Amino acid sequence: MPELPEVEVICQGLRPHLTNRIITAISCSGKSLRYPVPHAAMNDILCGQTIRTVRRRAKYLLIATEDDTLAIIHLGMTGNLGIFPHSAPVKVHDHVRWLLDNGLELRLNDTRRFGAVWLLPPEQARDRENGFFGNTGPEPFGRLCTPAHFMTLAQRRKQPVKSFLMDSRVVAGIGNIYANEILMAAGIHPLRQACALEEDNWQRIITLTRQILTRAIACGGSTISDFINASGESGYFQVNFTVYGRKGQPCHQCGSPIEKIQIGGRASYFCPGCQKG
DNA sequence: CAAGTTACCTGACGGC
DNA sequence: TGCCGTCAGGTAACTT
């Protein structure tokens, strides 16, 4: 589920439901996610507070309350957030629930429990770019995401460009699917060394990253309207995949069969005809 | 320091 | 039908 576009879609879908609502109760499954869920702290601090903003940074969802406390939610591999009536049956992997003052509930469902929830006090929340996100790279859409930025970080990096693009310290939010798709669009082989790319390669990668992520967000956006009953559908950008999951199928550009290899332990797809070194 | 590997956890799927 | 191995959109702690 959760790639940058999906987190953005979830963020946009939740915003109107959460903004200016009061959190009235917190329930947890008791199971730990990647880290223990701060159940007691959420009870003590969040209950009774009004939600002010709902934003995204990298693949994290940021929910700020009236006193500037910040709840940060990461969805891991299988996490999902949805708005449900309080009376709706609780599902197996619903681990965190925030009851709101209108009878609806925010629910975090996460089968594999690779997700996480943090609660930052106001001071840490304000300083999050130096603290919590101190090692997180720029947003792909931000003005700090430039060819110069990539070239500086890539100087001594001989690792495959695909792994480099997926490194959250380099640039935020690019996961396995989009790294594959971006490199295909750019015509760059995923195993090419990061330090070997030149300025125009990076410019192309940046432009295509923005284009692909924007399109993916637009595709996912169509499902957010029925968030209340369905728990966030996954959108339909997958019909636009050019390489991901297409092992052996013909490339839409040149007809070569798409190849699948392992890079850094992750499934990596590329077109041997279109993506050169 | 860079880069590769493993661990975390559950469920779906294919082969036998 | 059932058992087993493999794989999965992420991150971070390890090891080399």
Side-chain angles (χ1 to χ4, degrees):
Chain A
M1 284 291 297
E3 311 264 336
L4 181 151
E6 301 251 358
V7 178
E8 180 61 30
V9 166
I10 288 170
C11 181
Q12 291 176 17
L14 292 179
R15 188 174 292 131
H17 288 291
L18 295 181
T19 307
N20 296 327
R21 293 256 75 92
I22 298 170
I23 302 164
T24 58
I26 309 271
S27 307
C28 295
S29 67
K31 291 205 173 178
S32 198
L33 301 181
R34 170 168 279 278
Y35 309 105
V37 174
H39 189 179
M42 289 195 292
N43 263 331
D44 294 347
I45 299 165
L46 294 184
C47 280
Q49 284 210 55
T50 301
I51 294 170
R52 290 300 181 211
T53 63
V54 179
R55 287 169 288 182
R56 177 194 60 75
R57 169 76 168 97
K59 296 170 191 163
Y60 298 80
L61 195 77
L62 279 54
I63 304 176
T65 56
E66 59 185 280
D67 78 345
D68 288 342
T69 294
L70 191 66
I72 300 183
I73 300 173
H74 194 278
L75 300 174
M77 295 274 260
T78 52
N80 198 12
L81 284 163
I83 301 287
F84 300 85
H86 178 59
S87 57
V90 173
K91 289 191 288 204
V92 186
H93 300 291
D94 284 345
H95 295 300
V96 181
R97 292 181 288 145
W98 290 5
L99 181 60
L100 307 171
D101 61 344
N102 61 353
L104 296 181
E105 253 180 23
L106 173 69
R107 294 182 179 181
L108 170 60
N109 186 280
D110 186 0
T111 304
R112 289 174 73 182
R113 292 194 273 126
F114 288 169
V117 178
W118 295 264
L119 206 56
L120 301 196
E123 183 127 344
Q124 286 179 42
R126 286 183 210 111
D127 194 42
R128 62 186 180 278
E129 283 302 315
N130 298 307
F132 191 91
F133 292 111
N135 290 319
T136 304
E139 288 291 313
F141 297 106
R143 59 184 172 77
L144 296 177
C145 186
T146 61
H149 167 75
F150 284 103
M151 296 203 59
T152 302
L153 290 187
Q155 269 177 4
R156 281 175 208 74
R157 309 275 294 255
K158 295 186 176 180
Q159 75 181 149
V161 62
K162 175 169 179 268
S163 306
F164 184 75
L165 272 185
M166 289 175 66
D167 185 339
S168 64
R169 297 167 302 180
V170 173
V171 60
I174 300 182
N176 195 37
I177 286 177
Y178 293 99
N180 281 302
E181 293 297 318
I182 290 162
L183 290 173
M184 168 60 181
I188 296 169
H189 196 288
L191 283 176
R192 191 154 162 206
Q193 292 186 341
C195 60
L197 297 203
E198 304 189 9
E199 183 165 354
D200 59 328
N201 295 131
W202 289 118
Q203 184 54 255
R204 193 162 163 68
I205 285 173
I206 291 168
T207 303
L208 289 164
T209 295
R210 290 173 175 168
Q211 193 178 101
I212 288 169
L213 296 181
T214 300
R215 285 184 191 157
I217 292 167
C219 286
S222 66
T223 56
I224 63 177
S225 56
D226 49 64
F227 237 76
I228 286 200
N229 301 322
S231 58
E233 301 283 325
S234 58
Y236 49 86
F237 185 74
Q238 59 273 13
V239 303
N240 293 301
F241 287 171
T242 58
V243 288
Y244 187 83
R246 298 195 63 241
K247 178 186 175 184
Q249 296 175 44
C251 170
H252 300 311
Q253 293 287 324
C254 75
S256 306
I258 301 302
E259 293 185 17
K260 180 186 182 186
I261 58 175
Q262 289 286 120
I263 301 176
R266 312 301 301 273
S268 306
Y269 301 86
F270 66 98
C271 170
C274 298
Q275 295 174 263
K276 300 297 185 184

